[in-house]
Amino acid sequence: MRFHRKLTWSFWLFLFCSSVYICGVEGRLEERDPIVTTEEYVEVFCELKNQEDGEFKIIIVPEWAPKGAERFLSLVEDGFFDGTALFRAVENFLVQFGISKNADLNSKWAGSRLLDDPKVGVRIQRGTLAFAGGGKNSRTTQLFIAFTNTGWPRLGREPWETPFGYVHPDDIGILDKIFTMYGDMPPWGNGPNPGKINAEGYSYLEENYPQISYLTYCKIANQPTTEEDPSNRHHPSDSEISKNLEPGPGQSLSYTISTFAILGFIFVALLAVVLQFRKKNE
C-alpha cells in the first residue's frame, strides 16, 4: 500500500513538472515572436552589375532595427555601396558585402560601431538583410542577405544579427544570379579574404576572383515625409510582413526535441525514485 501511495505521488509530481515546463516553453515562444506592424519604411533600389534586369528593390523597415536601418541608409546616401563587391557568396547560406570600392569611404566609416538593436521577433529568411558582426555591438558596414530559410539554423541568433529589411518578393529571383562558385571566405573556404580586400583594394579581387558579382549602385527611392501622398508608395502587404514573423523552420523542431528530452529526463528520474522506494519496501 505504501508503495502504491508513493507511486501515485510520483505520477502527480511528474504531471505538475511537465505542465510547468510546457507553459514556460510556450511563454518563451510568445516572447520570441511578437506581432510587429509598421507603416514607415524606405524603398532602396540596388542594381546587380552586368545583369539584364539587374535592378531590385529592398524594403527597409526601421521599426525592426532602428540603428541598423539608419546606418544602412546613411551608407547608401554616402555612395558606400556603389560598385561594391559581393565578396562572400555562399550557396544556400548568404551573400555578404560592405567593403567599399572607395578607400576613403572605408576609412571614414572604419571603427564606427553600432550598439545592437533589441530583437523584436523578426526571423531571418530568404532575402532578409542584417548586419554582420563579430561580437556584441560590433556592427559597422558589412551586412548580408540570406539566400535561404533553412541553410544555417543558427543564423539570426546572435545579438547583432537583427533584420532591418528584405528584398522585395517580386525581385527575390535576383539572388539566384549572384556568383557563388568561389565559396566561403577563409578559414571556411577559399573565397575572397576580407582582410586582403581592405589591405590591397579591389585589385586583389580583380586579379584573383574575376567572376565575382558586384553592385552597380544603391539609391534611396523615397524618404517617408508628411507631405508625400501615401497612395504613391508601395506598402508591404500583411502577408509580406507576416512571413518575416513566422518562427524559423528549425525553431519549432528544436523546441519539440528539447521538450521531449527534458520530460524524458524527469520521467527517468522519478522512475528511479519509485524503484528505490519499492526496493526499500521489499
Side-chain angles (χ1 to χ4, degrees), residues 63-80:
E63 187 175 351
W64 290 355
K67 297 182 182 67
E70 181 181 4
R71 168 58 59 86
F72 176 74
L73 294 174
S74 296
L75 292 169
V76 171
E77 288 181 331
D78 217 10
F80 191 89

Side-chain angles (χ1 to χ4, degrees), residues 88-96 147 178-180 183-185:
R88 185 188 185 192
V90 185
E91 189 176 9
N92 296 323
F93 184 23
L94 55 72
V95 56
Q96 185 170 325
F147 274 153
I178 297 173
F179 188 82
T180 60
D184 207 347
M185 64 183 185

Side-chain angles (χ1 to χ4, degrees), residues 105-120:
L105 288 177
N106 285 325
S107 298
K108 174 182 176 179
W109 290 95
S112 55
R113 298 189 175 188
L114 286 176
L115 295 176
D116 293 330
D117 284 296
K119 291 183 179 294
V120 294

Side-chain angles (χ1 to χ4, degrees), residues 87 99 184-187 190-199 204-205 209:
F87 64 84
I99 301 176
D184 207 347
M185 64 183 185
N190 298 315
N193 187 324
K196 290 188 176 181
I197 301 174
N198 279 311
Y204 160 75
L205 295 174
Y209 303 95

Side-chain angles (χ1 to χ4, degrees), residues 54-254:
E55 189 175 73
F56 60 98
K57 184 190 298 184
I58 296 173
I59 305 298
I60 305 301
V61 189
E63 187 175 351
W64 290 355
K67 297 182 182 67
E70 181 181 4
R71 168 58 59 86
F72 176 74
L73 294 174
S74 296
L75 292 169
V76 171
E77 288 181 331
D78 217 10
F80 191 89
F81 301 113
D82 294 353
T84 194
L86 307 181
F87 64 84
R88 185 188 185 192
V90 185
E91 189 176 9
N92 296 323
F93 184 23
L94 55 72
V95 56
Q96 185 170 325
F97 56 102
I99 301 176
S100 182
K101 186 177 183 179
N102 187 323
D104 292 336
L105 288 177
N106 285 325
S107 298
K108 174 182 176 179
W109 290 95
S112 55
R113 298 189 175 188
L114 286 176
L115 295 176
D116 293 330
D117 284 296
K119 291 183 179 294
V120 294
V122 181
R123 75 178 180 91
I124 290 180
Q125 62 172 5
R126 178 171 165 81
T128 303
L129 276 80
F131 274 89
K136 292 184 177 180
N137 305 318
S138 63
R139 297 179 298 173
T140 53
T141 63
Q142 293 192 35
L143 58 148
F144 65 84
I145 303 175
F147 274 153
T148 179
N149 297 337
T150 59
W152 196 267
R154 288 192 57 82
L155 195 60
R157 295 185 182 181
E158 301 295 349
W160 60 88
E161 295 174 340
T162 311
F164 61 86
Y166 59 95
V167 176
H168 192 282
D170 291 345
D171 299 329
I172 199 72
I174 197 68
L175 299 180
D176 298 326
K177 298 181 180 181
I178 297 173
F179 188 82
T180 60
M181 297 302 291
Y182 291 133
D184 207 347
M185 64 183 185
W188 304 284
N190 298 315
N193 187 324
K196 290 188 176 181
I197 301 174
N198 279 311
E200 303 176 24
Y202 272 35
S203 60
Y204 160 75
L205 295 174
E206 294 164 1
E207 294 173 6
N208 298 281
Y209 303 95
Q211 293 181 274
I212 198 170
S213 295
Y214 293 84
L215 294 178
T216 308
Y217 59 79
C218 284
K219 60 183 180 181
I220 298 174
N222 66 309
Q223 291 278 16
T225 64
T226 55
E227 294 81 14
E228 184 179 1
D229 182 359
S231 64
N232 293 330
R233 296 166 52 193
H234 164 77
H235 289 270
S237 64
D238 292 340
S239 62
E240 287 178 29
I241 294 178
S242 64
K243 286 180 181 178
N244 287 285
L245 300 176
E246 297 170 358
Q251 291 176 15
S252 298
L253 178 61
S254 63

Side-chain angles (χ1 to χ4, degrees), residues 11-61:
F11 175 74
W12 285 110
L13 178 62
F14 170 73
L15 290 181
F16 172 77
C17 292
S18 301
S19 300
V20 170
Y21 176 75
I22 292 173
C23 289
V25 170
E26 290 178 350
R28 289 197 296 276
L29 283 171
E30 290 176 357
E31 292 174 358
R32 184 176 180 84
D33 298 296
I35 297 175
V36 178
T37 58
T38 180
E39 294 182 356
E40 180 177 328
Y41 62 93
V42 180
E43 294 178 344
V44 173
F45 284 93
C46 297
E47 183 182 73
L48 188 62
K49 189 176 181 179
N50 297 329
Q51 291 290 334
E52 185 177 357
D53 300 324
E55 189 175 73
F56 60 98
K57 184 190 298 184
I58 296 173
I59 305 298
I60 305 301
V61 189

